[in-house]
Amino acid sequence: MGAGAATQLVNEAITPSVEALRDIGFRGSGRTFYRVIGEASTVFHVESSRWNVGKFASFTVRLGVYVPKIAKRLKCEVLPAPPQSLKGCMWCPDIGGFLQPRTLLGWNIPQDFSVSDAAKDLLRVTQTIAIPVLDRSTDLDGFCESVFQYGGLASADKLWRLGRTIDAHKCAKAEIQRAKTVFQGKSYEKVVREWVNMHPLKVKIGRAHV
């Protein structure tokens, strides 16, 4: 069996989620589905592993958001029309970043899931995480809420640019704590603290101020 068989496994696993997306107005085909709301666009993209072959298939999900007024404030490109894929989106988070703790969420068939179980789990994630995030992210408050939930230093920087300075520093504080648990954490913690020093706002972290 070649790549075609693996492609079929992914197709079967994503079908229930694609149907759920179409039911609420998403369009598209293949691996990319989008919904345009006014000048804004939200995208749901299935990213297959380049190593998929035969009876083995892995995939994950990446989301995309484009809102021209927010894109301008983030100094991203303002497009003449809403994008229909991740290309042109101002924010393209992976779905695992919305989990607690953050993880690289993927579906591996058949190592971790049967096709039917992968389909059920992806549908659950689509309905409980992906759709709510995309629904709320087309205005400034909702976008900032989603970015804050996602977390990370890049999120802190986005929030700072959008004037949400307190939330930006909360993200940075969380990253300093997370750095204690990740590979090369001391180096990463130094990077985060340098960002905090360049964006001054007093925030207590334990007994210290940064």
Side-chain angles (χ1 to χ4, degrees), residues 7-8 69 88 121 153 175:
T7 298
Q8 183 59 32
K69 291 181 180 179
D121 194 61
L153 187 56
E175 282 302 279

Side-chain angles (χ1 to χ4, degrees), residues 5-6 77-78 86 95 97 140 173 190 192-193:
E77 182 181 4
V78 178
L86 293 181
I95 195 73
L140 180 59
K173 173 182 175 180
K190 181 179 178 181
V192 179
R193 289 187 179 277

Side-chain angles (χ1 to χ4, degrees), residues 155-183:
S155 293
D157 198 62
K158 283 182 173 62
L159 290 166
W160 184 272
R161 289 172 181 241
L162 294 172
R164 307 300 174 97
T165 56
I166 293 176
D167 283 345
H169 272 256
K170 286 181 179 178
C171 275
K173 173 182 175 180
E175 282 302 279
I176 289 173
Q177 296 304 313
R178 193 173 76 88
K180 302 181 188 304
T181 67
V182 300
F183 179 65

Side-chain angles (χ1 to χ4, degrees), residues 15 25 53 73-74 91 121 163 173 175 181-182 196:
T15 294
V53 64
R73 293 182 63 175
L74 292 174
W91 189 45
D121 194 61
K173 173 182 175 180
E175 282 302 279
T181 67
V182 300
V196 171

Side-chain angles (χ1 to χ4, degrees), residues 40-58:
S41 179
T42 56
V43 176
F44 181 101
H45 175 71
V46 177
E47 197 170 87
S48 295
S49 169
R50 68 179 66 182
W51 307 112
N52 285 356
V53 64
K55 295 181 179 180
F56 298 91
S58 297

Side-chain angles (χ1 to χ4, degrees), residues 5-143:
T7 298
Q8 183 59 32
L9 292 175
V10 177
N11 288 344
E12 292 178 18
I14 70 174
T15 294
S17 294
V18 171
E19 292 173 351
L21 291 168
R22 292 195 187 282
D23 285 344
I24 58 172
F26 278 76
R27 304 173 65 183
S29 61
R31 297 286 186 266
T32 303
F33 303 88
Y34 68 94
R35 181 173 60 179
V36 174
I37 304 174
E39 296 181 322
S41 179
T42 56
V43 176
F44 181 101
H45 175 71
V46 177
E47 197 170 87
S48 295
S49 169
R50 68 179 66 182
W51 307 112
N52 285 356
V53 64
K55 295 181 179 180
F56 298 91
S58 297
F59 65 92
T60 188
V61 169
R62 191 171 293 275
L63 306 179
V65 177
Y66 172 80
V67 185
K69 291 181 180 179
I70 301 176
K72 186 176 181 179
R73 293 182 63 175
L74 292 174
K75 300 187 184 304
C76 297
E77 182 181 4
V78 178
L79 306 175
Q84 299 179 5
S85 67
L86 293 181
K87 185 178 180 179
C89 286
M90 62 192 189
W91 189 45
C92 301
D94 63 275
I95 195 73
F98 295 100
L99 301 179
Q100 294 298 329
R102 297 174 66 189
T103 184
L104 294 174
L105 180 62
W107 290 265
N108 302 308
I109 303 170
Q111 301 98 311
D112 301 324
F113 294 92
S114 66
V115 174
S116 61
D117 286 343
K120 291 175 183 176
D121 194 61
L122 176 61
L123 179 60
R124 176 188 63 81
V125 170
T126 299
Q127 292 176 327
T128 61
I129 299 177
I131 290 174
V133 167
L134 295 176
D135 278 349
R136 70 173 179 247
S137 295
T138 54
D139 63 52
L140 180 59
D141 287 341
F143 179 76

